[in-house]
């Protein structure tokens, strides 16, 4: 029997309606549209408004779009993996909330917390369940409501992040399409530069932690930037070498959207021209788990069967990595 690989057979995405522009941020913190645009490439980001609206509200429309496009019912999903750092609650997992909201009665699920590399970690994990032969339909969603952990008085972080999510359906393939390789890395030492100080078991919420604004993203941007450029581009370069891929044979780089300058550095290391790089940071900012699948969602119509895609990410943890996918279908 030929080897089973996990092919992406449908893509879905969702971004909330509210658009937070650089102009509006100028009214909240001391910044300018010009600074944000030149330092990050971001023009606007989406924000999920409304009481009791968590990350599951971003995931449910994604899952339903995927089912609709693939022509399946949610009851056919075997497993749902959600990559997020902004779960609806500490427990249960957001995947459980989503399966309930969409009526995926036969699915089990869990969340993966790997920050901006979460989608790569979840995709590789989901693929294992397909490759084992045990599961036929595994859904992988990356989504974050970053606005729930962003301090809108901190100009160094509030300009970067946004809310949104997207995902894919994985199904067995025996013709060599799908996820073919991944390099996944982590280094816990990097937690020093990017983390949320309170709200976990080490420092549970108290009046003091709230007053000290410790329930928001803490980031030392310059350090994170340095490690991101070095590690994301190195992982992307390594996955090309390991799979004998060249700048000509790679159709697309699908990079995490944290900063346009990090994306450019990664593309440069791979020898890729701008036309082969997916970029939507200008519209959504950094949606953490959502960035890579949101790129696939935006560019789906341009993808052709047999295209070689390199996905690459770097984020909190530190976590980073790169994946090699051979795209399984032509535009519909
Ligand atoms: O996705 C998860 C991983 N995260 C990342 O990959 C993010 C990586 N880091 C970055 O993208 C960049 O470091 C930032 C966008 C966060 C910051 O850009 P930077 O070019 O590294 O700026 P900087 O921190 O070196 O700051 C330069 C100057 C400083 O002023 P002085 O000290 O030179 O007077 C900052 O205070 O820019 C100032 N600054 C701002 N000015 C206007 C910082 N934020 C702002 C702002 N508006 N929003």
């Amino acid at each position: 029997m030929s080897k089973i690989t996990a092919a992406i057979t449908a893509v879905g995405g969702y971004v909330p309606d509210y658009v937070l522009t650089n102009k509006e941020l100028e009214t909240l913190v001391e910044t300018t549209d010009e600074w944000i645009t030149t330092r990050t490439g971001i023009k606007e980001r989406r924000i999920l408004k409304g009481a009791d609206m968590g990350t599951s509200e971003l995931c449910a429309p994604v899952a339903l779009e995927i089912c609709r496009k693939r022509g399946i019912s949610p009851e056919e999903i075997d497993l749902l993996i959600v990559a997020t750092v902004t779960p609806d609650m500490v427990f249960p997992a957001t995947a459980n909330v989503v399966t309930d909201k969409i009526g995926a009665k036969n699915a089990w699920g869990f969340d993966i917390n790997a920050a901006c590399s979460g989608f790569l970690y979840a995709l590789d994990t989901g693929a294992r369940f397909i490759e084992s032969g045990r599961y036929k339909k595994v859904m992988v969603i990356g989504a974050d409501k970053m606005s729930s952990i962003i301090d809108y008085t901190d100009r160094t972080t509030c300009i970067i992040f946004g809310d949104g999510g997207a995902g894919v359906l994985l199904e067995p393939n025996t013709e060599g399409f799908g996820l073919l390789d991944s390099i996944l890395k982590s280094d816990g030492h990097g937690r020093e530069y990017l983390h949320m100080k309170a709200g976990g078991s080490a420092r549970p919420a108290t009046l003091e932690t709230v007053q000290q604004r410790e329930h928001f993203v803490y980031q030392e941007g310059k350090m994170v930037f340095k490690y991101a450029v070095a590690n994301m581009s190195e992982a992307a370069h390594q996955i090309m070498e390991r799979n004998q891929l060249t700048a000509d044979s790679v159709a697309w780089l699908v990079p995490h959207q944290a900063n346009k300058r990090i994306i450019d550095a990664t593309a440069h290391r791979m020898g890729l021209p701008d036309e082969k790089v997916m970029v939507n940071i200008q519209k959504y900012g950094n949606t953490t788990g959502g960035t890579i699948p949101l790129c696939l969602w935006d560019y789906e119509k341009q993808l052709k069967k047999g295209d070689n895609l390199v996905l690459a990410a770097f984020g909190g943890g530190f976590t980073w990595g790169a994946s090699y996918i051979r795209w399984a279908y032509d535009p519909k």
Side-chain angles (χ1 to χ4, degrees):
M1 212 183 89
S2 28
K3 188 176 174 234
I4 301 173
T5 53
I8 292 175
T9 56
V11 181
Y14 177 77
V15 288
D17 293 335
Y18 190 85
V19 179
L20 175 59
T21 60
N22 289 352
K23 278 272 162 244
E24 186 177 347
L25 282 170
E26 285 179 359
T27 68
L28 301 177
V29 289
E30 199 174 328
T31 192
T32 60
D33 172 41
E34 203 261 332
W35 191 95
I36 301 171
T37 307
T38 53
R39 303 311 291 166
T40 71
I42 303 167
K43 294 302 277 185
E44 56 190 43
R45 64 293 287 142
R46 301 299 182 98
I47 303 294
L48 181 62
K49 299 263 185 182
D52 299 323
M53 300 285 273
T55 294
S56 67
E57 291 293 322
L58 302 169
C59 297
V62 171
L64 292 174
E65 183 187 345
I66 292 172
C67 288
R68 182 178 50 73
K69 279 163 90 172
R70 185 68 186 116
I72 62 168
S73 124
E75 294 187 6
E76 291 176 64
I77 302 167
D78 298 315
L79 165 64
L80 172 66
I81 307 176
V82 175
T84 188
V85 291
T86 51
D88 282 28
M89 293 170 267
V90 171
F91 76 92
T94 301
N96 292 100
V97 182
V98 177
T99 50
D100 181 51
K101 283 187 174 172
I102 65 167
K105 292 193 171 61
N106 299 307
W108 64 290
F110 56 90
D111 292 357
I112 282 186
N113 176 335
C116 298
S117 311
F119 185 75
L120 291 191
Y121 276 42
L123 189 69
D124 200 68
T125 305
R128 297 287 168 268
F129 288 92
I130 295 287
E131 289 163 8
S132 74
R134 190 154 164 192
Y135 296 97
K136 304 291 179 222
K137 288 184 172 49
V138 173
M139 196 176 276
V140 178
I141 296 178
D144 273 294
K145 184 187 173 186
M146 292 306 291
S147 62
S148 66
I149 55 168
I150 290 300
D151 181 352
Y152 286 93
T153 65
D154 174 8
R155 70 174 181 172
T156 68
T157 51
C158 75
I159 54 133
I160 300 171
F161 294 97
D163 302 341
V168 299
L169 186 68
L170 297 177
E171 294 186 77
N173 185 282
T174 51
E175 294 168 337
F177 295 99
L179 181 69
L180 302 184
D181 195 14
S182 289
I183 294 171
L184 299 173
K185 301 276 190 182
S186 70
D187 177 1
H189 174 254
R191 70 189 186 282
E192 185 184 336
Y193 307 113
L194 181 51
H195 59 262
M196 194 165 104
K197 293 191 183 304
S201 56
R203 201 162 160 70
T206 62
L207 189 56
E208 190 194 2
T209 63
V210 172
Q211 281 168 344
Q212 290 179 356
R213 310 185 80 77
E214 291 180 355
H215 296 270
F216 296 119
V217 170
Y218 170 86
Q219 175 171 262
E220 292 180 29
K222 249 189 172 21
M223 285 302 279
V224 178
F225 186 91
K226 201 177 88 182
Y227 281 101
V229 167
N231 291 320
M232 189 164 136
S233 56
E234 187 53 28
H237 178 70
Q238 272 179 21
I239 206 128
M240 283 176 75
E241 277 202 337
R242 200 154 98 170
N243 293 280
Q244 292 86 49
L245 292 166
T246 63
D248 282 340
S249 62
V250 171
W252 293 99
L253 166 65
V254 194
H256 170 53
Q257 311 280 306
N259 188 315
K260 180 68 166 56
R261 290 182 288 143
I262 300 173
I263 297 171
D264 290 345
T266 305
H268 181 72
R269 176 91 165 94
M270 296 167 73
L272 292 186
D274 290 351
E275 316 81 82
K276 289 190 173 190
V277 184
M278 295 190 189
V279 178
N280 58 16
I281 192 171
Q282 71 284 359
K283 295 194 285 183
Y284 310 137
N286 181 352
T287 56
T288 303
T291 59
I292 288 179
L294 275 171
C295 279
L296 295 176
W297 185 57
D298 272 351
Y299 282 80
E300 187 188 14
K301 287 197 171 64
Q302 297 181 54
L303 297 176
K304 293 190 290 297
K305 188 172 180 176
D307 276 356
N308 291 318
L309 273 56
V310 172
L311 283 49
F314 182 89
F318 291 141
T319 56
W320 69 98
S323 293
Y324 165 36
I325 289 175
R326 187 170 296 141
W327 197 249
Y329 59 93
D330 284 319
K332 289 168 184 152

